[in-house]
Amino acid sequence: MPSEKISIENVLRPGKTYRADRTKYEAMRSALLTILPEEAPGLTVPAARDALLPYLSEALFPGGDKAGWWLKAVQLDLEAKGVIRRAPNSPVRLYRPTA
């Protein structure tokens, strides 16, 4: 049975959508929102990846396989939707604002 697809956005390409596996997207979204702090400066992308690995299903992401790709896809989609934000300085740090 083919996996269900959803449309996701990319903050770097406004107006363009991409098709992605719903199950993997939702698993990564849940893990990312669980580990991100509510205030800036937030976590760097490598730190976020390390922190979310324990929250991912071994069946979907065996040994963390493809977690980096899915993290980036979900990050860019959630940024486009305003659910998470980047802190203003380098390196990229992510957080989820409360209001």
Side-chain angles (χ1 to χ4, degrees), residues 29-67:
R29 181 183 191 279
S30 176
L32 183 58
L33 292 177
T34 297
I35 59 97
L36 285 182
E38 293 179 350
E39 296 179 1
L43 293 175
T44 63
V45 175
R49 184 184 184 280
D50 291 343
L52 63 76
L53 285 176
Y55 295 93
L56 297 176
S57 160
E58 187 65 22
L60 292 176
F61 301 96
D65 188 41
K66 307 283 187 212

Side-chain angles (χ1 to χ4, degrees), residues 49-88:
R49 184 184 184 280
D50 291 343
L52 63 76
L53 285 176
Y55 295 93
L56 297 176
S57 160
E58 187 65 22
L60 292 176
F61 301 96
D65 188 41
K66 307 283 187 212
W69 187 92
W70 280 98
L71 167 58
K72 185 54 82 172
V74 171
Q75 168 204 329
L76 294 173
D77 180 62
L78 294 180
E79 281 187 88
K81 290 175 168 75
V83 175
I84 65 173
R85 293 192 184 139
R86 292 182 193 205

Side-chain angles (χ1 to χ4, degrees), residues 5-25:
K5 302 288 185 180
I6 60 169
S7 292
I8 61 173
E9 299 174 62
N10 181 332
V11 70
L12 303 174
R13 304 251 185 229
K16 184 161 173 57
T17 60
Y18 303 85
R19 304 287 290 154
D21 179 272
R22 177 183 293 277
T23 303
K24 288 185 178 183
Y25 174 89

